[in-house]
């Protein structure tokens, strides 16, 4: 049986390894042998499965994202507030509905031992409700525990939609007026502390392991849609006090953590338009030191980070691994996954997937292709900047695709070429 796991919010397009997955032998032509990590397992009686979750409105983007807790998946998006699915066979346990308010979408942030958290976007035809709110659901029943309006402008500040983050058993949000942080017990919703933003700024929460940082930008830069001088503050976990401003050369997007340092990619802009990334900044919260490295060229695509390495997944399927300490390219590999999402990682492989459900597994050491699957659903290649579509649960891979499709298979035995699912 799978070991219990607590899903943690990923930063941007990056991925958190929620469980250690592994690959077994696959000796088909063009596929490389690999070794399954000790202890990586499938749910008892697992067989590959495929399901379609209840559709949202016709004009709603229909791609789900999932997080894991033990042998259960929690998925949201595409007009679906949240649904709990058994990883064993894809059967539904519960599907939550929005109480009286039509929704345009739901983005799950993560799950603690007893609570599923996300932020919900109101339908444009429902102006009576808050446009965006953070929602907590009981993990066992799907019952809504609490919700609060959010005025966060995290995308403008950080370059990523990050309106709420889970830190331990708490969730950090931004109040409806967009002037302070609120930290709540994830299950009860009880407020532990609030912390006002520095005057004249708007901020977003950024987790660095168990440490919380605030990333802030001035109102003037936000009004001009050009955040060139973001400032990071350490946040005291007991009181919420913001301390120790750390200036960063921007625009910069947080992508992950390496050796206790926050890693940001520096955007290359032409006018106000971002055309890729040309540098790496690393912030040490303890010393407040910022180190910069230039990339050899401007890289376009979806960035993500796992295992201490930054990955860039291009719209044409090119995946590049970058060392966050030096900016040096480790390797590049052309894949068949166009418009790939950020990476997900098992013990022995990196997984990238498109909205069509095509999955590739690459060696993290040198990018060598381990295996690749055919598309599993009709759909476009997906938008740039998409968060990981692959969720790793032990040895099982759960993949989200277009039209609210979710399918799962054993990483040791991926679908063969010509096998539709």
């Amino acid at each position: 049986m799978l070991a219990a796991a607590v899903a943690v919010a990923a930063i941007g397009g990056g991925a958190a390894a929620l469980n250690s997955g592994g690959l077994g032998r696959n000796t088909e032509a063009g596929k490389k042998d690999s070794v399954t990590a000790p202890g990586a397992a499938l749910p008892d009686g697992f067989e590959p499965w495929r399901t379609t979750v209840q559709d949202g409105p016709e004009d709603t983007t229909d791609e789900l994202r999932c997080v894991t807790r033990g042998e259960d998946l929690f998925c949201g998006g595409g007009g679906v507030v949240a649904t709990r699915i058994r990883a064993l066979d894809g059967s539904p346990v519960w599907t939550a509905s929005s109480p009286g308010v039509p929704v345009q979408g739901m983005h799950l942030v993560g799950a603690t031992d007893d609570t599923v958290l996300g932020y919900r976007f109101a339908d444009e035809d429902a102006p009576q409700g808050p446009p965006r709110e953070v929602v907590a659901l009981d993990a066992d029943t799907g019952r809504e525990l609490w919700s609060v309006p959010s005025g966060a402008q995290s995308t403008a500040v950080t370059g990523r939609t990050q309106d709420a983050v889970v830190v331990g058993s708490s969730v950090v949000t931004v109040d409806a007026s967009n002037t302070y942080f609120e930290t709540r017990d994830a299950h009860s919703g009880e407020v532990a502390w609030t912390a006002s933003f520095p005057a004249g700024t708007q901020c977003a929460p950024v987790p660095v392991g168990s440490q919380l940082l605030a990333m802030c930008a001035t109102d003037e830069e936000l009004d001009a849609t050009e955040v060139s001088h973001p400032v990071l503050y350490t946040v005291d976990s007991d009181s919420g006090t913001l301390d120790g401003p750390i200036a960063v050369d921007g625009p910069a997007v947080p992508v992950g953590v390496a050796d206790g340092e926050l890693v940001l990619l520096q955007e290359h802009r032409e006018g106000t338009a971002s055309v890729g990334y040309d540098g790496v900044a690393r912030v040490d919260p303890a010393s407040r030191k910022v180190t910069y490295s230039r990339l050899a060229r401007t890289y376009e695509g979806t960035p993500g980070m796992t295992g201490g390495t930054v990955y860039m997944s291009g719209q044409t399927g090119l995946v590049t691994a970058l060392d966050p300490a030096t900016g040096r390219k480790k390797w590049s590999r052309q894949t068949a996954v166009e418009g790939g999402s950020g990476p997900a990682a098992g013990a022995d492989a990196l997984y990238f997937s498109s909205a069509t459900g095509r999955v590739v597994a690459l060696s993290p050491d040198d990018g060598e292709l381990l295996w690749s699957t055919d598309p599993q659903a009709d759909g476009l290649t997906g938008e740039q900047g998409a968060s990981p579509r692959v969720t790793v649960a032990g040895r099982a891979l759960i993949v989200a695709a277009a039209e609210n499709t979710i399918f799962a298979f054993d990483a040791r035995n991926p679908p063969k070429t010509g096998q539709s699912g």
Side-chain angles (χ1 to χ4, degrees):
M1 304 288 282
L2 292 177
V6 177
V8 180
I11 296 181
L18 303 179
N19 270 316
S20 294
L23 299 172
R25 297 186 180 278
N26 190 321
T27 55
E28 289 187 58
K31 298 182 181 178
K32 177 187 171 89
D33 285 354
S34 56
V35 180
T36 299
L42 297 169
D44 291 343
F46 174 87
E47 295 289 343
W49 55 262
R50 177 186 179 120
T51 188
T52 299
V53 180
Q54 174 186 346
D55 291 332
E58 291 184 3
D59 59 349
T60 299
T61 302
D62 54 354
E63 273 199 67
L64 302 174
R65 290 295 186 273
C66 303
V67 297
T68 63
R69 188 195 68 166
E71 294 184 4
D72 287 306
L73 306 171
F74 300 98
C75 305
V80 177
V81 173
T83 185
R84 177 178 169 183
I85 299 171
R86 298 188 191 281
L88 170 67
D89 55 12
S91 61
V93 178
W94 51 253
T95 297
S97 60
S98 182
V101 180
V103 296
Q104 186 178 15
M106 176 81 168
H107 178 82
L108 294 188
V109 174
T112 68
D113 286 337
D114 55 11
T115 311
V116 182
L117 297 128
Y119 42 90
R120 178 168 57 197
F121 301 86
D123 192 288
E124 293 179 355
D125 296 329
Q128 74 277 10
R132 182 177 298 177
E133 54 189 345
V134 178
V135 181
L137 304 174
D138 185 276
D140 292 329
T141 66
R143 177 176 61 90
E144 186 166 316
L145 300 171
W146 55 265
S147 64
V148 292
S150 172
Q153 298 294 317
S154 61
T155 305
V157 175
T158 69
R160 291 290 176 266
T161 302
Q162 195 160 294
D163 291 3
V165 298
V166 178
V167 181
S169 61
S170 299
V171 58
V172 182
T173 67
V174 174
D175 78 301
S177 65
N178 192 30
T179 57
Y180 57 87
F181 290 126
E182 298 176 309
T183 293
R184 288 178 165 79
D185 178 86
H187 193 76
S188 71
E190 181 178 351
V191 176
W193 51 257
T194 63
S196 297
F197 299 163
T201 69
Q202 298 176 35
C203 304
V206 178
V208 181
S210 60
Q211 170 76 57
L212 181 68
L213 299 183
M215 187 170 182
C216 305
T218 65
D219 293 336
E220 290 80 6
E221 286 199 335
L222 289 167
D223 289 343
T225 65
E226 187 172 357
V227 178
S228 299
H229 304 89
V231 177
L232 290 161
Y233 297 84
T234 57
V235 181
D236 184 271
S237 59
D238 295 324
S239 66
T241 302
L242 274 61
D243 191 20
I246 307 168
V248 177
D249 292 339
V253 178
V255 291
V257 179
D259 298 324
E261 297 183 341
L262 177 66
V263 177
L264 306 98
L265 288 179
Q266 295 177 290
E267 290 184 320
H268 180 80
R269 293 201 171 186
E270 294 181 358
T272 59
S274 174
V275 295
Y277 305 91
D278 59 10
V280 181
R282 299 178 313 285
V283 178
D284 183 344
S287 67
R288 300 175 189 169
K289 180 181 179 181
V290 184
T291 307
Y292 299 94
S293 301
R294 304 308 301 171
L295 301 180
R297 64 178 182 84
T298 298
Y299 289 92
E300 299 180 53
T302 297
M305 187 170 179
T306 187
T309 297
V310 174
Y311 297 95
M312 194 70 64
S313 178
Q315 286 292 95
T316 61
L318 181 67
V319 176
T320 303
L322 301 167
D323 184 346
T326 64
R328 179 182 60 84
K329 182 180 78 173
K330 293 183 175 182
W331 51 259
S332 287
R333 175 68 57 181
Q334 183 64 49
T335 76
V337 175
E338 297 180 349
S341 59
D348 300 310
L350 302 165
Y351 307 105
F352 296 85
S353 181
S354 70
T356 64
R358 185 193 297 275
V359 184
V360 295
L362 303 179
S363 166
D365 296 328
D366 55 13
E368 184 171 355
L369 178 68
L370 303 175
W371 49 259
S372 178
T373 72
D374 287 340
Q376 301 290 303
D378 293 331
L380 301 175
T381 56
E383 62 180 348
Q384 185 167 301
S387 56
R389 297 184 178 94
V390 180
T391 302
V392 181
R395 216 176 69 202
L397 301 185
I398 298 95
V399 184
E403 300 178 356
N404 284 351
T405 300
I406 305 175
F407 60 96
F409 56 87
D410 182 352
R412 291 179 59 180
N413 297 289
K416 298 178 176 61
T417 300
Q419 181 177 328
S420 61

